[in-house]
């Protein structure tokens, strides 16, 4: 089971987040038939989204991440909820780009750098928050570190990664994040920087150490206070009922055309690729209810 663990280090002057996300990234890969570079790009974004979802407070809050850098992958869209659930998609799932020099998946090239990273926090109707920053490298981790530092004024270090097996399944995925609190001293910052510099890539650590708490123990010893942990999952909240509600917004003549000419319609949820089919009866019922209300 994937997990997010939150803790405090440096006498409470810095927050630590560690999430193991292998299962949810694999789930996303299966839903969308992702190829390796798309798995890495969406997987990194989903992993960071679990941490940001964990920062939400109210039960009905939602966080949306949009990334578009003009690269082959198109747009990355991810939603995170406070209960540890995330969902998301990329416009082009069949992307396989490998850097010729490093032989690693080239996420930066697939995402591109000619664009933005946007975070929309849906807190309540009155109090939405949107932050947008320019993409720095398209590698996702660095782009979010820049976003937190510039848009939210929280100095942040992020290590995020996804390893893909030869058969395209997900080998390991995770994110490790440190955020400095306003009262952090120079010594606290140096301590955190040294921790980050001494770490192997997080995807390697996730594949080596099965339990996230054990990994935190290896990194910090007694120097960490664990605050809470949360189960994580890739899960979409779409349903036939919700899709039907979306159909009610169509014009009457469009519904009539679907009934007479197409004898029904099919809607695909972009977030999880689930197909919903509505037959002539479903649509006729919808149309007559719509006429009653009008
Ligand atoms: Zn869905």
């Amino acid at each position: 089971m994937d997990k997010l663990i939150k803790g405090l280090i440096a006498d409470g002057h810095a927050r630590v987040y560690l999430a193991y996300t292998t299962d949810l990234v694999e789930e996303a890969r299966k839903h969308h038939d992702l190829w390796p570079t798309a798995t890495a790009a969406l997987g990194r974004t989903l992993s960071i989204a679990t941490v940001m979802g964990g920062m939400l407070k109210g039960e009905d809050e939602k966080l949306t991440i949009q990334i578009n850098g003009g690269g082959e992958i198109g747009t990355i869209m991810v939603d995170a909820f406070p209960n540890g659930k995330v969902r998301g998609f990329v416009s082009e799932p069949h992307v396989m780009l490998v850097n010729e020099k490093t032989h690693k998946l080239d996420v930066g090239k697939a995402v591109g750098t000619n664009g933005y990273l946007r975070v929309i926090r849906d807190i309540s109707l009155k109090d939405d928050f949107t932050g947008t920053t320019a993409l720095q490298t398209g590698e996702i981790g660095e782009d979010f570190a820049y976003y937190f530092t510039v848009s939210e004024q929280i100095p942040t270090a992020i290590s995020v990664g996804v390893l893909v097996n030869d058969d395209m399944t997900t080998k390991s995925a995770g994110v490790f994040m440190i955020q400095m609190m306003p009262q952090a001293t120079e010594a606290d910052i140096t301590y955190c920087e040294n921790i980050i510099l001494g770490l192997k890539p997080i995807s390697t650590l996730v594949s080596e150490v099965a339990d996230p708490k054990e990994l935190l123990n290896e990194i910090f010893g007694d120097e960490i206070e664990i605050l809470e942990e949360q189960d994580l999952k890739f899960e979409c909240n779409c349903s036939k009922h919700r899709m039907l509600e979306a159909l009610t917004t169509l014009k009457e003549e469009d519904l009539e055309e679907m009934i007479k000419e197409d004898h029904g319609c099919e809607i695909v949820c972009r977030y999880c690729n689930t197909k919903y089919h509505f037959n002539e009866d479903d649509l006729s019922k919808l149309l007559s209810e719509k006429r009653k209300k009008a």
Side-chain angles (χ1 to χ4, degrees):
M1 184 72 192
D2 289 338
K3 262 193 172 43
L4 166 67
I5 299 181
K6 302 179 202 176
L8 289 172
I9 52 166
D11 298 325
H13 293 173
R15 287 180 191 279
V16 171
Y17 300 89
L18 172 67
Y20 275 37
T21 56
T22 310
D23 293 345
L24 69 89
V25 172
E26 174 61 11
E27 199 60 29
R29 184 195 69 81
K30 285 194 275 187
H31 277 278
H32 296 295
D33 188 30
L34 301 169
W35 290 6
T37 314
T39 304
L42 182 58
R44 288 180 192 180
T45 311
L46 285 166
S47 299
I48 292 172
T50 67
V51 172
M52 296 178 78
M55 295 171 183
L56 295 172
K57 303 213 167 60
E59 263 177 42
D60 48 1
E61 292 182 8
K62 186 180 107 177
L63 184 112
T64 298
I65 295 165
Q66 289 172 9
I67 296 172
N68 191 313
E72 210 178 301
I73 232 164
T75 300
I76 304 173
M77 281 276 276
V78 167
D79 283 346
F81 302 88
N83 59 6
K85 288 176 181 163
V86 288
R87 60 176 193 168
F89 65 90
V90 295
S91 343
E92 178 47 64
H94 294 164
V95 178
M96 176 61 185
L97 282 175
V98 175
N99 184 299
E100 282 170 20
K101 282 185 200 144
T102 63
H103 303 290
K104 288 185 173 167
L105 296 171
D106 201 339
V107 174
K109 193 173 175 194
V111 172
T113 50
N114 185 21
Y116 61 88
L117 158 65
R118 182 170 297 144
V119 175
I120 302 150
R121 253 195 322 243
D122 203 343
I123 300 169
S124 71
L125 286 174
K126 267 185 289 179
D127 192 23
D128 284 4
F129 164 90
T130 304
T132 306
T133 46
L135 287 173
Q136 302 300 299
T137 62
E139 293 283 343
I140 311 291
E142 285 150 13
D143 299 303
F144 273 97
Y146 181 80
Y147 164 82
F148 277 113
T149 307
V150 171
S151 184
E152 304 201 10
Q153 281 95 49
I154 306 169
T156 302
I158 300 175
S159 171
V160 62
V162 175
L163 287 179
V164 177
N165 291 311
D166 289 340
D167 65 0
M168 303 224 280
T169 56
T170 310
K171 184 181 183 197
S172 64
V175 57
F176 177 75
M177 190 186 300
I178 296 181
Q179 291 198 316
M180 304 310 299
M181 312 270 261
Q183 65 269 39
T185 62
E186 280 301 319
D188 295 330
I189 293 168
T190 308
Y191 168 73
C192 292
E193 278 172 354
N194 287 335
I195 295 251
I196 297 267
L197 287 173
L199 284 185
K200 292 182 198 171
I202 187 65
S203 48
T204 306
L205 290 169
V206 170
S207 70
E208 287 174 356
V209 186
D211 178 23
K213 271 196 178 155
E214 194 188 317
L215 177 57
L216 285 174
N217 197 33
E218 278 183 23
I219 297 172
F220 297 105
D222 298 338
E223 299 292 310
I224 181 163
E225 180 195 344
I226 305 281
L227 295 177
E228 54 181 306
E229 57 179 272
Q230 185 176 40
D231 291 340
L232 304 173
K233 208 175 171 196
F234 182 96
E235 192 178 288
C236 188
N237 56 1
C238 66
S239 65
K240 191 161 184 180
H241 178 73
R242 275 176 192 235
M243 291 298 176
L244 201 61
E245 277 182 354
L247 279 176
T248 58
T249 60
L250 290 177
K251 286 188 205 140
E252 283 187 18
E253 51 261 44
D254 291 338
L255 283 167
E256 275 166 13
E257 194 181 305
M258 280 180 185
I259 294 165
K260 279 185 202 134
E261 285 170 31
D262 308 327
H263 309 289
C265 73
E266 189 178 80
I267 305 183
V268 181
C269 174
R270 295 204 77 187
Y271 283 93
C272 67
N273 243 348
T274 304
K275 293 181 177 69
Y276 292 93
H277 186 78
F278 298 94
N279 59 26
E280 288 175 75
D281 287 347
D282 294 329
L283 296 179
S284 302
K285 215 190 275 175
L286 186 74
L287 186 60
S288 66
E289 275 168 26
K290 196 177 161 77
R291 283 183 175 141
K292 258 185 249 165
K293 279 183 200 157

